């Protein structure tokens, strides 16, 4: 009888810990969604010139990310060619 009791005690303890961890994840996701909604709202209230500057910044970031991906791919190509 003791083995069964210990089994259920451990199982319910594990479920309790899992629930706590999931609550922390949910709480963090809620805060992130809330902050993103506020950012979207503030961006919607921007002036046209401010909105253009924001869009240009986003485009510049996308171009930089694409260039990094291209450089990484070129390194992989060179490595693959040298190690045939």
């Amino acid at each position: 009888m003791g083995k069964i009791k210990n089994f259920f005690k451990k199982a319910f303890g594990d479920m309790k810990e899992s629930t706590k961890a999931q609550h922390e994840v949910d709480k963090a996701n809620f805060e992130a969604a809330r902050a993103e909604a506020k950012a979207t709202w503030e961006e919607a209230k921007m002036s046209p010139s401010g909105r253009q500057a924001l869009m240009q910044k986003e485009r510049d970031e996308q171009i930089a990310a694409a260039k990094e991906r291209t450089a990484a791919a070129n390194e992989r190509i060179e490595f693959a060619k040298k190690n045939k």
Side-chain angles (χ1 to χ4, degrees):
M1 187 80 154
K3 288 183 180 181
I4 295 173
K5 184 177 180 181
N6 286 337
F7 171 79
F8 281 108
K9 186 175 182 178
K10 184 179 180 321
F12 283 113
D14 290 346
M15 287 191 303
K16 182 178 177 181
E17 291 301 315
S18 178
T19 301
K20 284 181 183 179
Q22 186 60 48
H23 176 71
E24 290 300 316
V25 170
D26 292 343
K27 193 167 125 179
N29 283 331
F30 177 76
E31 288 299 319
R34 194 169 144 199
E36 289 169 345
K38 185 173 182 170
T40 300
W41 174 252
E42 293 299 326
E43 288 171 352
K45 296 188 306 182
M46 289 174 72
S47 66
S49 62
R51 190 170 295 118
Q52 286 178 342
L54 176 66
M55 291 173 69
Q56 185 60 48
K57 179 181 171 231
E58 289 174 355
R59 286 190 296 265
D60 292 342
E61 290 171 355
Q62 289 173 352
I63 290 169
K67 287 181 179 180
E68 288 177 16
R69 289 175 38 218
T70 301
N74 287 334
E75 288 177 15
R76 290 173 47 207
I77 291 168
E78 290 302 316
F79 182 79
K81 284 182 178 180
K82 288 179 183 177
N83 294 305
K84 280 189 174 182

